[in-house]
């Protein structure tokens, strides 16, 4: 029997800010023995309203640094960054790159019953067309029907989540307005195409109805991380005495990052390091 191998190098996770912590949290839940370096690019946040080329530049700088620091995998925990940089990143680095778009698309294709899928995301993510292209390239030819994709930008969802407003009449009305086209299209599956949006899954489900399945890009990405590490023999040692490191870094104000991060990851974050000027 071959000797089991382990790789205790950290997983690098990055996002434009704190939304990607929904991905990091799910990774921690599913893989508690893995060390993580999380970078929130709050100096340039949000990515959702910026040109994709600029988002690509920001993403490359952070990913280059994470790879240089020895990360065994890069998780692009941001839909806008995934749209702008994932394809290039997969060619640029020798370590696995896991974007948030593809895992969600695969789950939505497997889940939909009527072939009508809604995608909600930031303006940049929706306008990039990356979800539509990914659906088109990952719909199996033997499917009886093609998957029809209906995309809606929900630009105000992120500031609401970051203000801690996930319930109440105001967010309900906004959600009803945003999702009306998806309801009219009779979608039976909705992809939460922004890592902030799992915190709004309650109100989205309420508006769409119990018969509609929600697909979380954060949840599906964490599953892909687990599967990839397992298949490549890169899982960390499960020895309980081995120290696991969870590092959280911000390119902007670390105090503001920490305050926002408690809404996504809970009070476990006690300190946040500041990223050097060169990475801003």
């Amino acid at each position: 029997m071959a000797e089991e191998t382990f790789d205790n190098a950290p997983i690098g996770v990055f996002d434009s800010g704190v939304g990607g912590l929904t991905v990091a949290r799910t990774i921690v839940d599913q893989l508690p023995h893995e060390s993580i370096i999380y970078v929130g690019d709050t100096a340039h946040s949000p990515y959702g309203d910026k040109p994709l080329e600029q988002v690509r530049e920001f993403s490359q700088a952070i990913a280059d640094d994470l790879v240089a620091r020895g990360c065994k995998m890069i998780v692009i925990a941001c839909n806008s960054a995934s749209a702008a940089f994932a394809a290039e990143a997969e060619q640029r680095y020798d370590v696995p790159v896991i974007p948030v778009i593809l895992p969600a698309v695969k789950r939505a294709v497997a889940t939909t019953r009527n072939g009508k899928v809604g995608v909600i995301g930031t303006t940049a993510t929706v306008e990039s067309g990356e979800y539509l292209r990914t659906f088109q390239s990952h719909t199996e030819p033997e499917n009886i029907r093609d998957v029809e994709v209906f995309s809606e930008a929900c630009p105000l969802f992120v500031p609401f989540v970051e203000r801690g407003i996930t319930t109440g009449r105001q967010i309900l009305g906004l959600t009803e307005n945003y999702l009306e086209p998806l309801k009219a299209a009779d979608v039976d599956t909705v992809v939460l195409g922004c890592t902030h949006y799992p915190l709004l899954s309650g109100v989205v489900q309420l508006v769409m109805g119990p018969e509609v399945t929600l697909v979380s890009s954060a949840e599906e990405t964490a599953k892909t991380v687990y599967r990839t590490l397992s298949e490549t023999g890169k899982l960390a040692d499960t020895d309980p005495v081995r120290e696991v490191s969870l590092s959280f870094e911000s390119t902007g104000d670390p105090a503001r990052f920490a305050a926002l991060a408690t809404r996504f990851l809970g009070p476990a974050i006690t300190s946040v390091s500041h990223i050097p000027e060169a990475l801003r």
Side-chain angles (χ1 to χ4, degrees):
M1 183 175 178
E3 183 179 353
E4 190 171 10
T5 61
F6 302 104
D7 188 338
N8 294 330
I11 299 170
V13 183
F14 77 90
D15 180 36
S16 62
V18 294
L21 289 170
T22 58
V23 179
R25 180 171 187 164
T26 311
I27 293 173
V28 170
D29 289 344
Q30 295 186 19
L31 294 162
H33 299 286
E34 298 292 341
S35 294
I36 292 175
I37 300 176
Y38 180 96
V39 176
D41 190 14
T42 53
H44 301 118
S45 181
Y47 284 177
D49 60 0
K50 291 180 172 60
L52 285 182
E53 178 56 31
Q54 192 174 39
V55 173
R56 188 200 67 78
E57 293 174 1
F58 297 153
S59 300
Q60 180 181 315
I62 294 171
D64 281 356
D65 178 64
L66 289 171
V67 171
R69 285 198 272 170
C71 289
K72 65 182 178 182
M73 170 184 283
I74 300 299
V75 179
I76 308 179
C78 172
N79 284 266
S80 299
S82 293
F85 185 58
E88 179 181 338
E90 290 168 357
Q91 299 297 319
R92 184 177 181 86
Y93 307 119
D94 292 331
V95 300
V97 174
I98 311 296
V100 291
I101 291 178
L102 180 56
V105 166
K106 287 184 174 180
R107 174 54 56 191
V109 170
T111 299
T112 182
R113 303 175 303 280
N114 68 4
K116 296 181 179 181
V117 176
V119 176
I120 57 176
T122 65
T123 300
T125 296
V126 170
E127 290 185 350
S128 74
E130 190 61 27
Y131 264 100
L132 181 58
R133 285 190 291 273
T134 306
F135 269 103
Q136 290 171 339
S137 61
H138 287 85
T139 301
E140 297 299 329
E142 61 267 25
N143 281 2
I144 296 174
R145 64 199 180 296
D146 292 329
V147 173
E148 192 173 3
V149 181
F150 302 85
S151 300
E152 290 295 326
C154 306
L156 293 180
F157 273 177
V158 168
F160 267 81
V161 168
E162 293 194 351
R163 294 203 304 271
I165 303 173
T166 57
T167 61
R169 185 175 300 176
Q170 192 176 14
I171 189 64
L172 177 59
L174 180 66
T175 305
E176 289 174 334
N177 182 61
Y178 279 151
L179 301 186
E180 179 55 36
L182 301 186
K183 290 176 67 68
D186 193 32
V187 304
D188 73 351
T189 304
V190 174
V191 176
L192 305 179
C194 173
T195 50
H196 282 70
Y197 293 2
L199 278 71
L200 293 172
S201 60
V203 68
V204 172
Q205 191 75 75
L206 177 65
V207 170
M208 293 304 300
E211 69 282 1
V212 173
T213 301
L214 304 186
V215 174
S216 166
S217 58
E219 181 74 24
E220 297 307 320
T221 299
K223 292 176 184 176
T224 301
V225 168
Y226 193 121
R227 183 174 63 253
T228 302
L229 292 178
S230 297
E231 292 175 347
T232 58
K234 296 291 187 179
L235 287 167
D237 188 352
T238 58
D239 186 343
V241 302
R242 186 181 64 84
E243 183 176 355
V244 174
S245 173
L246 300 177
S247 173
F248 301 93
E249 303 171 352
S250 170
T251 60
D253 181 1
R256 173 170 168 73
F257 178 92
L260 287 172
T262 58
R263 296 175 186 156
F264 292 79
L265 201 61
I269 296 178
T270 56
S271 64
V272 178
S273 304
H274 187 261
I275 287 291
E277 179 70 24
L279 285 180
R280 289 202 240 162

